[in-house]
Amino acid sequence: MSSDQTAAGNPEPQDSPDPPESPFRVEPTPRDEAPQYVLPLVARIERAEPPHRTDALETAARSVLVMLGDERSLGDGEWAQAMRDWQDARIRKVVRRARGAEWRRAEALPGITVTGKSAEVRVFPPIPLDGWPKELAKLQVSGTDLDDPEPVPPADATAPVLWMSPDVDMSAGKAMAQAGHGAQLAWWELSDEERVAWRDAGYPLSVRTPDAALWRELVASGLPVVRDAGFTEIAPGSCTVVADHPALRR
């Protein structure tokens, strides 16, 4: 499932959920005129053993962080220019699913596979919107409706938490893309030292859905908020994720 947001480099910390200078907007901006790129993510979903929904969301979010922090994405790395081009335009992520031979073909392409408890997600360097490799272009976007077979434990408040809106119904693929947006917003808000610490710890995080009262508090807290552009599934401007990192709790 695709998900699009407007983004800009490394924004200043937000003092309110929707400041005028927010890089995450749904109205047109000059960034829409830049060449548009997409970050592809492929989730391994085998028929016999599909991943648990929450683990799939967490693994997708970590995969985005792994790509952002990889040395090939930084400085003069082989993926750095594509990463810069992607982040200079709208922040687009597309989650597709693969199984069996499809997954093996996807694994053969340059990228990084991130493994969770039950989920596997491979993230690839950004590509032009119309430049999908044939091995990925044929993969399905739909069909990522996953469940949690057991109750999800409470979030670890000492680690980052990506809070998903209780008001917005999303497929697992859409939610994975949104969780990736939330992780990326938190990453942008951190200092270099805080990013290194998160990376060295293995990017611990959890994805949880709060009750309505807590969600309202989180949206108004000044923490980074993802607002969807409304291209798929949900209405433009919908608040989908609050990125809650210990270093951002002021």
Side-chain angles (χ1 to χ4, degrees):
M1 182 58 63
S2 66
S3 187
D4 299 48
Q5 296 291 343
T6 306
N10 189 6
E12 294 299 317
Q14 298 179 354
D15 294 325
S16 64
D18 191 20
E21 71 274 13
S22 172
F24 277 67
R25 305 177 187 174
V26 295
E27 69 271 15
T29 75
R31 295 184 177 278
D32 294 292
E33 300 174 8
Q36 300 295 305
Y37 285 74
V38 61
L39 186 78
L41 297 94
V42 174
R44 183 178 185 180
I45 302 181
E46 301 289 350
R47 294 181 189 277
E49 294 184 89
H52 300 175
R53 180 184 173 98
T54 296
D55 188 47
L57 268 59
E58 292 172 348
T59 305
R62 277 196 301 274
S63 74
V64 172
L65 293 168
V66 168
M67 176 59 73
L68 288 167
D70 192 277
E71 62 181 10
R72 289 166 290 184
S73 298
L74 305 172
D76 296 324
E78 60 184 290
W79 299 338
Q81 186 60 56
M83 292 292 287
R84 286 191 291 269
D85 291 341
W86 171 59
Q87 293 181 88
D88 281 345
R90 277 190 178 269
I91 297 299
R92 299 174 184 258
K93 300 179 182 72
V94 172
V95 178
R96 300 194 174 199
R97 60 180 173 86
R99 62 171 62 97
E102 295 173 332
W103 175 255
R104 292 190 291 273
R105 286 192 291 269
E107 277 203 306
L109 298 177
I112 306 169
T113 297
V114 177
T115 302
K117 296 177 181 177
S118 63
E120 286 183 83
V121 175
R122 189 163 180 83
V123 60
F124 303 87
I127 56 175
L129 281 179
D130 58 355
W132 284 79
K134 63 180 181 180
E135 295 87 350
L136 302 184
K138 64 180 65 175
L139 299 178
Q140 296 295 313
V141 176
S142 61
T144 52
D145 293 324
L146 305 173
D147 297 311
D148 284 312
E150 300 176 356
V152 179
D156 178 1
T158 66
V161 184
L162 303 175
W163 297 101
M164 308 294 294
S165 171
D167 304 322
V168 180
D169 186 24
M170 294 181 280
S171 67
K174 179 72 171 181
M176 289 167 73
Q178 295 294 304
H181 285 329
Q184 187 167 3
L185 264 186
W187 175 264
W188 277 345
E189 295 278 0
L190 297 177
S191 68
D192 289 342
E193 293 77 10
E194 290 162 345
R195 291 177 182 177
V196 169
W198 199 6
R199 181 198 64 198
D200 291 349
Y203 299 113
L205 59 84
S206 58
V207 174
R208 296 292 186 271
T209 301
D211 61 30
L214 178 55
W215 175 250
R216 289 193 295 271
E217 292 179 13
L218 289 163
V219 171
S221 67
L223 291 167
V225 179
V226 176
R227 286 174 170 78
D228 193 66
F231 289 102
T232 59
E233 292 195 25
I234 60 180
S238 298
C239 299
T240 57
V241 184
V242 174
D244 181 7
H245 189 289
L248 303 180
R249 298 168 189 162
R250 313 193 204 297

